Amino acid sequence: MSHFLSLLHTYTPTPPNTSGWQSPSCLSEVDLSKHGLNPNRLHTLGDRSFQNGEVAFLTVAGGLGTRLGFDGPKGLFPVTPVTRKVLFHVFSEKLRALQQRYGRTFHWLIMTGEETDKATREAFRKNRWYDEAYLHIFKQGTLPAFSTDKQPLLNEDGSIVCLPDGHGGVFKALKQADLLSLLETKGIQTLSYFQVDNPLVRLDDALFLGAHLHQKSEFSTKVVAKTHPEERVGLFVQDGDRLRLVEYSEFPPSLQAVRDKDGLLKYRWGNTAIHLLSTDFVRACAERTLPYHVCRKKIKVWDPITKTVQMTEGLKLEHFIFDALPQANNPLLWEVAREEEFSPVKNATGSDTPETCRRDQIRRWLRWLKAADPMWLEAQLKENPEPLLEISPLFADNKDDFLNAWKRLPEKPKTLHGCCL
Ligand code: UTP
């Protein structure tokens, strides 16, 4: 405890030294040939790696989801527009679709925390979303929590309040759960990492995987272009020969709106927290200690006066996964279209809410339908300009697959509104 107390007392977030900063380079599907890369070859490389079972999936789901204010693990939040499937169910369908494509089941690792573990396990057991032999639910570590005047917070029984140690706790948690040896035994080379809050995440992206493997990257990330200088998103910067991610709260305001010669924001690559990690790198990270961050959060604490549990502002120690990035060799940034792949559920109101996520899911499916059958869609939208619809990942989880699946349909749905494919 004294270690954490002194850490807290000496903690001053140092402003980053920006003298060596440059705009990092970033690849995308459309400019591969400009870089002398052959998309078909990269796709084949990724495809083969899936086929050989060299990829496992890793969901971090140990966060408290305080901002959403949902009573339970965020993975059990109903997210789809019509059938109200919960996030874990959506991800399990994505993985089952992949299983159908490659004729093999992929290992799925889910990190929970003290608060989310039991309910997560029970939900998977009850709903049988995924083959238990390939499902590995493991708990992350905890760190003590403090009041804003830096005193340890206490539970009803007098013990110290301990909270999840941040998504950066994943490396040590994997080691502790003996999952690093499982990855080794199964010949898994890449961990496909994603957060529990984004139902648009693509888990079948052979091209991204191929680019990651081709570059011998240890840490690859999908990025989206920032929409405006003040957008609250972590940004990637090239700092000398290292790539790093700077949290929006720590990003120097004087650099926020700087533009390059093409008039684009110089630092524009926003983090989606969709990563591919080489398992060798993950193993090395499990032996290191990432830096501590002190975060101000609403924390549940026991109030001895009212004898009730209250939400109070407090300080929480956390590790962030992206603090591992500067150690990674050959890291890759890969630009994707935000509207196709990124719409997290973070807040109850404002941006990134259940409502914006539902809207983004529907808009994405409408774009696919427009590409597949513009006349049919137009007629349907005349009937109902704001249809509710849902497309399961088991039908299609990207535009190209949707075009094929639509062609194979024996008959078109009678109406779009309320339609589930
Ligand atoms: P967030 O930054 O959204 O934090 O986590 P959170 O704790 O879930 O939500 P708030 O801030 O209290 O509202 C991003 C991802 O990292 C996971 C979350 O579950 C989510 O998938 N995470 C976060 C962990 O697995 N463990 C943690 O300790 C923190």
Side-chain angles (χ1 to χ4, degrees):
M1 177 51 66
S2 60
H3 166 65
F4 295 119
L5 269 173
S6 72
L7 208 151
L8 206 60
H9 281 279
T10 53
Y11 183 82
T12 35
T14 39
N17 174 359
T18 61
S19 57
W21 281 16
Q22 286 301 324
S23 175
S25 61
C26 175
L27 279 181
S28 75
E29 183 169 357
V30 290
D31 63 9
L32 285 176
S33 42
K34 214 167 68 192
H35 290 88
L37 294 164
N38 179 327
N40 293 335
R41 237 183 260 156
L42 295 184
H43 192 279
T44 307
L45 194 60
D47 209 37
R48 233 179 259 151
S49 194
F50 277 131
Q51 221 149 41
N52 295 340
E54 292 162 359
V55 181
F57 294 85
L58 169 61
T59 312
V60 285
L64 300 173
T66 329
R67 287 170 288 167
L68 181 61
F70 174 61
D71 191 20
K74 209 189 259 187
L76 302 183
F77 184 77
V79 75
T80 64
V82 181
T83 65
R84 317 288 294 135
K85 275 177 207 150
V86 306
L87 282 151
F88 282 136
H89 190 179
V90 174
F91 301 138
S92 71
E93 290 196 340
K94 287 174 191 274
L95 291 179
R96 279 166 40 216
L98 208 64
Q99 176 184 2
Q100 284 170 13
R101 173 175 311 173
Y102 290 105
R104 65 180 315 141
T105 311
F106 292 86
H107 288 275
W108 185 13
L109 286 54
I110 301 178
M111 183 169 84
T112 60
E114 207 58 63
E115 293 229 359
T116 58
D117 188 72
K118 190 162 174 266
T120 303
R121 284 176 195 277
E122 275 173 12
F124 272 91
R125 202 172 303 128
K126 185 167 148 233
N127 295 290
R128 300 177 180 278
W129 286 317
Y130 208 66
D131 185 339
E132 274 188 14
Y134 291 83
L135 180 68
H136 312 276
I137 298 177
F138 65 106
K139 249 197 259 181
Q140 70 180 109
T142 58
L143 287 168
F146 301 85
S147 60
T148 47
D149 56 356
K150 301 180 181 171
Q151 298 305 309
L153 293 170
L154 300 181
N155 292 310
E156 186 179 358
D157 63 2
S159 60
I160 290 167
V161 174
C162 286
L163 296 174
D165 57 357
H167 37 63
V170 69
F171 300 116
K172 289 216 173 351
L174 281 167
K175 182 178 172 195
Q176 205 123 44
D178 212 17
L179 286 167
L180 295 179
S181 41
L182 174 105
L183 300 178
E184 185 154 16
T185 325
K186 302 289 175 194
I188 289 158
Q189 293 172 2
T190 308
L191 273 178
S192 173
Y193 169 108
F194 59 102
Q195 299 192 157
V196 75
D197 50 23
N198 177 25
L200 262 53
V201 64
R202 270 193 71 184
L203 302 183
D204 60 353
D205 197 340
L207 187 61
F208 177 44
L209 176 60
H212 164 84
L213 294 171
H214 176 80
Q215 181 154 322
K216 299 195 173 14
S217 164
E218 291 185 321
F219 194 135
S220 300
T221 300
K222 286 192 169 177
V223 294
V224 289
K226 209 177 170 187
T227 52
H228 55 281
E230 296 77 29
E231 190 185 350
R232 304 176 77 171
V233 60
L235 291 176
F236 289 91
V237 300
Q238 187 66 41
D239 187 2
D241 65 347
R242 298 283 107 185
L243 184 67
R244 63 177 82 245
L245 187 127
V246 184
E247 268 291 57
Y248 61 81
S249 52
E250 291 168 16
F251 202 87
S254 60
L255 296 182
Q256 258 180 4
V258 174
R259 304 227 165 228
D260 63 16
K261 61 178 176 10
D262 301 318
L264 299 169
L265 288 173
K266 181 170 178 188
Y267 300 105
R268 63 178 172 283
W269 301 123
N271 184 25
T272 61
I274 300 167
H275 309 299
L276 293 176
L277 306 168
S278 90
T279 44
D280 284 344
F281 180 68
V282 169
R283 217 165 280 124
C285 288
E287 302 305 323
R288 303 182 188 128
T289 298
L290 291 175
Y292 290 90
H293 294 259
V294 178
C295 310
R296 224 168 226 272
K297 279 223 169 175
K298 291 260 186 245
I299 296 172
K300 269 191 216 160
V301 286
W302 173 251
D303 180 349
I305 300 169
T306 59
K307 298 209 178 331
T308 52
V309 173
Q310 301 280 344
M311 287 301 268
T312 181
E313 188 91 353
L315 302 176
K316 181 177 183 302
L317 293 169
E318 286 194 28
H319 298 296
F320 295 160
I321 185 166
F322 47 76
D323 279 332
L325 178 59
Q327 311 288 331
N329 290 316
N330 313 316
L332 168 72
L333 297 185
W334 182 258
E335 186 191 5
V336 293
R338 179 191 298 247
E339 63 277 15
E340 282 293 303
E341 305 199 26
F342 187 57
S343 184
V345 179
K346 293 275 185 204
N347 304 303
T349 55
S351 58
D352 297 336
T353 62
E355 197 40 53
T356 57
C357 181
R358 207 170 303 135
R359 177 201 69 195
D360 291 345
Q361 292 174 70
I362 292 177
R363 284 185 182 167
R364 180 171 68 150
W365 294 322
L366 288 176
R367 278 195 303 277
W368 296 353
L369 272 164
K370 190 171 177 187
D373 209 335
M375 308 271 270
W376 182 82
L377 180 65
E378 201 184 323
Q380 290 294 326
L381 290 178
K382 266 192 200 132
E383 299 274 309
N384 187 337
E386 287 185 22
L388 266 190
L389 69 146
E390 186 167 325
I391 293 167
S392 159
L394 291 165
F395 184 80
D397 204 26
N398 62 65
K399 186 170 144 195
D400 290 342
D401 286 352
F402 182 81
L403 297 179
N404 290 327
W406 183 261
K407 257 190 237 147
R408 284 196 306 267
L409 269 184
E411 58 179 305
K412 291 173 192 176
K414 293 214 166 38
T415 58
L416 181 58
H417 183 61
C419 154
C420 290
L421 286 170

